[in-house]
């Protein structure tokens, strides 16, 4: 038997990945056929050039899409089940506790009731049947050099954050002409000086005003009695109302 076929039975799927314990969505749901190990979505980028087979889960059992499995091995006489508009095949056999035989076909390994004309309920049952009968499963293996994951397989976005950061980075501008940079700095300094010498006067309703000048001239203005008297608003007299008729 090929090594990847034994890996489907020996490897554990839908368990936490020990290399990405703190990461989200770290369940192993991919089998690398070249390395014969199970992978989580965070491990997939490191095996992007290998043959990858996605393992799905249905009623607490591992299944594989029939379309993907047929590229690797002959799946004839194996009963497929329709899940989410896609046909899947169980990997391991599912023995029943109670054996009830009536009319119809039954699995060659676990005696599970099947629909006609199927005689194997899972991939493992067919492999066991072929090995007992022919002692070799090589004629049923198909040559497959490339196998990629389907478009519905989602890889966490944070894996490629560092790769895409350079594409969205704002390019830095460089100064070509030195004279232009000097003129820009002198202009900016002039604007800064003008901003510091501007007098802003804001009046308040309390009758006092705040005279804002530069930091150097603030003390002189506060000590000048004329400037302070100019900033004080006289209180208005009491308005006289017309007598009531």
């Amino acid at each position: 038997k090929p090594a990847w076929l034994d890996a489907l039975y020996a490897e554990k799927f839908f368990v936490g990945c020990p290399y990405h314990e703190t990461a989200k969505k770290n369940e192993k749901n991919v089998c690398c056929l070249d390395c014969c190990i199970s992978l989580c979505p965070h491990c997939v980028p490191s095996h992007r050039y290998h043959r990858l087979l996605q393992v799905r889960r249905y009623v607490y059992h591992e299944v594989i899409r029939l379309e993907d499995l047929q590229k690797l091995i002959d799946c004839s006489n194996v009963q497929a089940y329709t899940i989410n508009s896609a046909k899947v095949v169980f990997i391991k056999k599912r023995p029943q506790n109670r054996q009830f035989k009536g009319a119809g076909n039954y699995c060659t390994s676990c005696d599970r009731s099947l629909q006609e004309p199927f005689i194997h309920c899972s991939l493992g049952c067919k492999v066991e049947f072929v090995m007992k009968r022919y002692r070799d499963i090589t004629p049923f293996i198909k040559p497959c050099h490339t196998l990629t994951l389907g478009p519905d397989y989602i890889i966490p976005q944070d894996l490629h954050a560092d790769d895409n950061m350079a594409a969205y980075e704002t390019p830095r501008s460089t100064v070509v002409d030195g004279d232009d940079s000097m003129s820009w700095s002198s202009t900016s300094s002039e604007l800064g000086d003008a901003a510091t010498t501007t007098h802003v006067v804001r009046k308040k309703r309390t009758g006092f005003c705040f005279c804002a000048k530069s930091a150097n001239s603030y003390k002189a203005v506060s000590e000048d009695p004329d400037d302070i008297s100019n900033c004080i608003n006289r209180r208005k007299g009491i308005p006289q109302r017309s007598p009531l008729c």
Side-chain angles (χ1 to χ4, degrees), residues 76-78 105 114-120:
S76 59
N77 297 327
V78 179
N105 293 354
L114 302 175
Q115 300 177 357
E116 295 182 357
F118 304 108
I119 59 176
H120 309 294

Side-chain angles (χ1 to χ4, degrees), residues 146-174:
T146 58
L147 185 63
T148 58
L149 299 175
D152 59 337
Y153 188 81
I154 301 177
I155 299 178
Q157 298 295 331
D158 55 346
L159 296 178
H160 305 286
D162 298 337
D163 299 339
N164 298 333
M165 187 177 297
Y168 292 98
E169 184 179 3
T170 304
R172 298 181 180 178
S173 59
T174 56

Side-chain angles (χ1 to χ4, degrees), residues 69-89:
L69 194 59
Q70 283 182 339
K71 300 177 182 178
L72 301 170
I73 188 173
D74 183 12
C75 297
S76 59
N77 297 327
V78 179
Q79 180 170 336
Y81 299 85
T82 303
I83 302 174
N84 295 332
S85 303
K87 292 185 177 181
V88 298
V89 174

Side-chain angles (χ1 to χ4, degrees), residues 65-187:
R65 292 185 60 178
L66 180 62
E67 182 181 359
D68 298 335
L69 194 59
Q70 283 182 339
K71 300 177 182 178
L72 301 170
I73 188 173
D74 183 12
C75 297
S76 59
N77 297 327
V78 179
Q79 180 170 336
Y81 299 85
T82 303
I83 302 174
N84 295 332
S85 303
K87 292 185 177 181
V88 298
V89 174
F90 286 91
I91 298 178
K92 302 177 182 180
K93 60 181 180 179
R94 300 168 297 152
Q96 291 180 332
N97 296 330
R98 294 185 304 172
Q99 302 295 334
F100 175 78
K101 291 188 176 181
N105 293 354
Y106 294 89
C107 180
T108 55
S109 299
C110 60
D111 296 333
R112 179 176 289 272
S113 178
L114 302 175
Q115 300 177 357
E116 295 182 357
F118 304 108
I119 59 176
H120 309 294
C121 70
S122 64
L123 176 63
C125 293
K126 180 173 183 177
V127 173
E128 183 179 351
F129 174 80
V130 172
M131 294 298 296
K132 289 181 179 179
R133 189 167 186 176
Y134 302 101
R135 302 292 180 180
D136 186 14
I137 200 174
T138 304
F140 297 89
I141 301 298
K142 298 181 180 180
C144 180
H145 303 287
T146 58
L147 185 63
T148 58
L149 299 175
D152 59 337
Y153 188 81
I154 301 177
I155 299 178
Q157 298 295 331
D158 55 346
L159 296 178
H160 305 286
D162 298 337
D163 299 339
N164 298 333
M165 187 177 297
Y168 292 98
E169 184 179 3
T170 304
R172 298 181 180 178
S173 59
T174 56
V175 179
V176 179
D177 192 355
D179 297 337
D180 294 339
S181 62
M182 295 298 293
S183 61
W184 179 85
S185 60
S186 61
T187 304

Side-chain angles (χ1 to χ4, degrees), residues 160-230:
H160 305 286
D162 298 337
D163 299 339
N164 298 333
M165 187 177 297
Y168 292 98
E169 184 179 3
T170 304
R172 298 181 180 178
S173 59
T174 56
V175 179
V176 179
D177 192 355
D179 297 337
D180 294 339
S181 62
M182 295 298 293
S183 61
W184 179 85
S185 60
S186 61
T187 304
S188 61
S189 61
E190 293 175 359
L191 291 176
D193 297 340
T196 57
T197 57
T198 303
H199 301 274
V200 180
V201 179
R202 296 180 181 178
K203 295 183 179 181
K204 297 183 179 180
R205 293 184 178 181
T206 56
F208 297 94
C209 65
F210 176 76
C211 301
K213 292 188 177 182
S214 60
N216 297 330
S217 60
Y218 176 76
K219 184 177 181 181
V221 172
S222 60
E223 294 178 355
D224 191 357
D226 297 334
D227 294 340
I228 298 176
S229 61
N230 294 331

